[in-house]
């Protein structure tokens, strides 16, 4: 009997499905030194078999198919789709996870549907009132983890406190940040700054044993004020989408600069390698997806436009979440 980690992949979810999903799955097997995980592709078996037949030179025993005849599209209303499309790749994949047929689930499909299905089917960890999505942002100190970045538009102070606990554990277990510093995103650094919700959350987190350093402003997200920054999902999602637009803006500006003169073109050409490395740190494809923290399972959510690199990295992140037992740590912490 195999003791390998099994990762269910929504192979019909991304904008480029099933090509990017399948190619990314194969790359995770071929590129990773780790051999302790297998992949279950969830989707239309005929379409998946056809696409898999185009690939060779990989361990085919490590990829299997779990048939799902339906798909939740990006246009579907999340909660309604989860209830009505029970044969969809998202619902069947998460049910597979719940029934212990898989140890984790990843999807670059409809984000709202993945969150709704994970919460309804897997359930919340005891002590968690709302799950949260945590995202990595490059900073002057490595990475800053921001939560929430879209799961909860409206939040209460208790929610923000729970986000702080869950994200602190994630930063410690996955990123290796020992006793990470935690801050609240606000409109000023003083304790009195921010709306009533932020001020109340400030008191809750300050009274806890978390390594709380107070409020920070938006400019500090890419700085070194704190390893973890907590906010509501509305603000976090705006920050996330703005940050995702930076590489495209910089590339456009570099092209414009190079076209102004031959000298500029030479300078840009000479620094091309360095610029590429810098821009890679701002590319969400490098980090794969973001974890949905607080559910009884491992769910990784990817961008709809995820390419094969992003899908590969999502799979590897799911594997690490399973190994590090992040959910067990969250349950232990919130039960105290």
């Amino acid at each position: 009997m195999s003791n390998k980690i099994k990762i269910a992949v929504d192979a019909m979810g991304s904008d480029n499905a099933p090509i990017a999903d399948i190619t990314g799955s194969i790359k995770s097997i071929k590129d990773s030194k780790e051999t302790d995980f297998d992949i279950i592709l969830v989707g239309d078996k005929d379409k998946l078999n056809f696409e898999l037949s185009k690939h060779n030179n990989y361990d085919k025993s490590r990829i299997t198919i779990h048939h799902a005849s339906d798909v939740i599209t990006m246009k579907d209303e999340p909660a309604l789709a989860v209830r009505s499309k029970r044969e969809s790749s998202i619902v069947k994949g998460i049910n597979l996870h719940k029934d212990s047929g898989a140890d984790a689930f990843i999807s670059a499909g409809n984000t709202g549907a993945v969150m709704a299905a994970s919460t309804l089917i897997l359930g919340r960890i005891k002590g968690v009132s709302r799950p949260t999505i945590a995202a990595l942002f490059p900073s002057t100190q490595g990475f800053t983890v921001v939560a929430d970045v879209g799961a909860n538009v409206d939040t209460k102070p208790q929610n923000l406190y729970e986000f702080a606990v869950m994200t602190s554990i994630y930063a410690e277990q996955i990123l290796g940040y020992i006793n990470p510093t935690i801050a609240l995103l606000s409109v000023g650094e003083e304790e009195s700054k921010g709306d009533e919700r932020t001020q109340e959350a400030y008191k809750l987190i300050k009274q806890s044993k978390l390594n709380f350093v107070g409020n920070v402003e938006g400019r500090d997200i890419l700085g070194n004020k704190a390893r973890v920054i907590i906010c509501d999902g509305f603000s976090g999602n705006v920050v996330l989408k703005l940050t995702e637009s930076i590489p495209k803006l910089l590339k456009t500006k570099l092209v414009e600069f190079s076209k102004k003169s031959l000298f500029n073109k030479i300078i840009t050409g000479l620094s091309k390698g360095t610029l590429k490395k810098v821009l890679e740190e701002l590319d969400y494809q490098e980090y794969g997806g973001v974890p949905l923290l607080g559910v009884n399972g491992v769910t990784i959510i990817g961008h709809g436009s995820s390419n094969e690199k992003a899908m590969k990295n999502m799979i590897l992140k799911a594997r690490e979440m399973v190994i590090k037992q992040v959910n067990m740590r969250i349950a232990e912490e919130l039960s105290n």
Side-chain angles (χ1 to χ4, degrees), residues 67-206:
H67 181 62
S69 59
D70 207 349
V71 177
I72 294 177
T73 70
M74 297 297 183
K75 294 181 180 180
D76 285 329
E77 195 283 318
L80 178 61
V82 169
R83 290 193 296 269
S84 62
K85 292 189 172 183
R86 297 185 179 181
E87 293 299 310
S88 66
S89 54
I90 289 176
V91 174
K92 293 204 73 172
I94 293 177
N95 269 311
L96 185 67
H97 184 12
K98 179 190 177 183
D99 296 337
S100 301
D103 301 293
F105 175 76
I106 76 165
S107 175
N110 185 313
T111 299
V114 177
M115 290 190 296
S118 295
T119 305
L120 290 170
I121 296 171
L122 299 176
R124 299 189 302 270
I125 292 173
K126 185 177 180 180
V128 175
S129 54
R130 292 188 185 181
T132 186
I133 296 177
L136 295 181
F137 289 74
S139 72
T140 56
Q141 62 172 356
F143 293 101
T144 298
V145 192
V146 178
D148 184 65
V149 293
N152 305 279
V153 175
D154 298 308
T155 56
K156 297 178 180 179
Q158 178 66 23
N159 301 142
L160 295 178
Y161 162 70
E162 291 170 12
F163 298 168
V165 173
M166 291 189 284
T167 311
S168 173
I169 291 170
Y170 173 74
E172 186 170 80
Q173 294 297 304
I174 301 301
L175 301 178
Y177 298 158
I178 299 174
N179 194 25
T181 49
I182 298 172
L184 271 173
L185 184 64
S186 190
V187 293
E189 296 183 353
E190 297 83 5
E191 184 172 350
S192 60
K193 292 290 186 177
D195 56 14
E196 183 177 341
R197 173 188 55 193
T198 305
Q199 292 179 33
E200 287 299 314
Y202 189 109
K203 295 175 184 176
L204 285 175
I205 302 174
K206 185 179 180 180

